[in-house]
Amino acid sequence: NSSESHNCAKSILTSDRLQVVVMLSEFFNETWEAANCANCLKNSSEGLSNSTVEFLDLFNKSLTCFEHNLQGQAINLLPDNYTEVCKNCNASYKMLNDLYNNLQRMNRQGGESGHSAHLCIDVEDAMNITRKLWSRTFNCSVPCSDTVPVIAVSSFILFLPIVFYLSSFLHSKQKKRILILPKRIQSNASLVNIQEKYS
């Protein structure tokens, strides 16, 4: 009976003391929400969004580039020379990183999925894996274009206390004072002569 279907479902779901089905349902719903899974899908949840497909495609290309340029060497913790990986995969890594940054910007404004939150966990995990490989495993570092201005400003700020104390020392330094002694009576004998003269 359709009118009793809701009550029937409720009684089946809550029939046991632990309510395992309800607990599992809540767990999966909370996991879905916490992982922002809806942000990888289109508005109508028909499939992956175009940006997610594009990102995963670039992610796979980057990993393939890493594998091809390792020249059969196994990735291990020993400090190896990965200059070929850094040089040949720089373009694909940069494209992936730029796309990720754009997706983050778009997602703050609503994005394709219509949800304004973090990116979905699949995209974030993929980018974390790639960045860890790029920076820690392969030790590839992209030189920062702001290095010269940062060094210049830092040097200027560090130099300011020296200028302050030097100028303070120079301006507070006083010239030696020349003491001019007042003319006084030189001796008691001359004082006696003066007194005798007036008496």
Side-chain angles (χ1 to χ4, degrees):
N1 191 349
S2 60
S3 61
E4 297 176 1
S5 63
H6 180 69
N7 291 335
C8 180
K10 189 176 179 181
S11 64
I12 290 172
L13 288 174
T14 59
S15 60
D16 63 314
R17 186 171 62 87
L18 291 177
Q19 299 181 7
V20 175
V21 177
V22 175
M23 285 172 58
L24 286 174
S25 174
E26 287 175 358
F27 168 75
F28 288 122
N29 286 335
E30 286 172 8
T31 304
W32 179 270
E33 290 295 324
N36 298 303
C37 294
N39 291 342
C40 277
L41 305 174
K42 293 178 183 174
N43 265 338
S44 54
S45 299
E46 293 170 354
L48 292 175
S49 64
N50 296 334
S51 56
T52 305
V53 170
E54 184 184 357
F55 177 85
L56 293 176
D57 183 48
L58 271 175
F59 171 67
N60 289 331
K61 284 180 182 174
S62 297
L63 290 184
T64 305
C65 182
F66 293 165
E67 288 173 16
H68 283 311
N69 286 282
L70 283 175
Q71 299 170 352
Q73 298 174 2
I75 299 173
N76 52 28
L77 298 176
L78 297 173
D80 291 328
N81 188 4
Y82 294 116
T83 52
E84 290 298 314
V85 177
C86 298
K87 185 172 68 175
N88 297 334
C89 300
N90 188 29
S92 62
Y93 174 77
K94 191 174 184 313
M95 284 171 59
L96 181 71
N97 197 44
D98 290 345
L99 178 61
Y100 179 77
N101 291 334
N102 288 337
L103 287 175
Q104 275 189 319
R105 225 174 291 117
M106 273 176 34
N107 210 52
R108 287 190 199 108
Q109 300 163 357
E112 282 181 78
S113 64
H115 299 84
S116 57
H118 296 285
L119 293 170
C120 71
I121 199 72
D122 293 336
V123 172
E124 288 187 350
D125 279 351
M127 195 64 221
N128 287 342
I129 289 166
T130 312
R131 284 177 174 169
K132 188 175 178 183
L133 283 171
W134 184 257
S135 60
R136 291 187 188 169
T137 306
F138 303 134
N139 201 19
C140 301
S141 60
V142 179
C144 184
S145 59
D146 296 338
T147 306
V148 174
V150 167
I151 291 173
V153 170
S154 301
S155 302
F156 176 73
I157 290 172
L158 290 173
F159 191 66
L160 278 178
I162 297 169
V163 171
F164 172 76
Y165 285 114
L166 187 63
S167 63
S168 175
F169 174 75
L170 291 175
H171 287 300
S172 67
K173 188 177 179 183
Q174 297 176 357
K175 294 180 180 178
K176 290 182 180 178
R177 293 181 182 174
I178 300 170
L179 295 176
I180 300 172
L181 296 172
K183 292 182 180 177
R184 294 185 182 167
I185 299 170
Q186 296 294 328
S187 66
N188 290 336
S190 59
L191 182 63
V192 171
N193 288 336
I194 294 170
Q195 284 178 352
E196 286 176 359
K197 195 184 283 184
Y198 286 107
S199 57

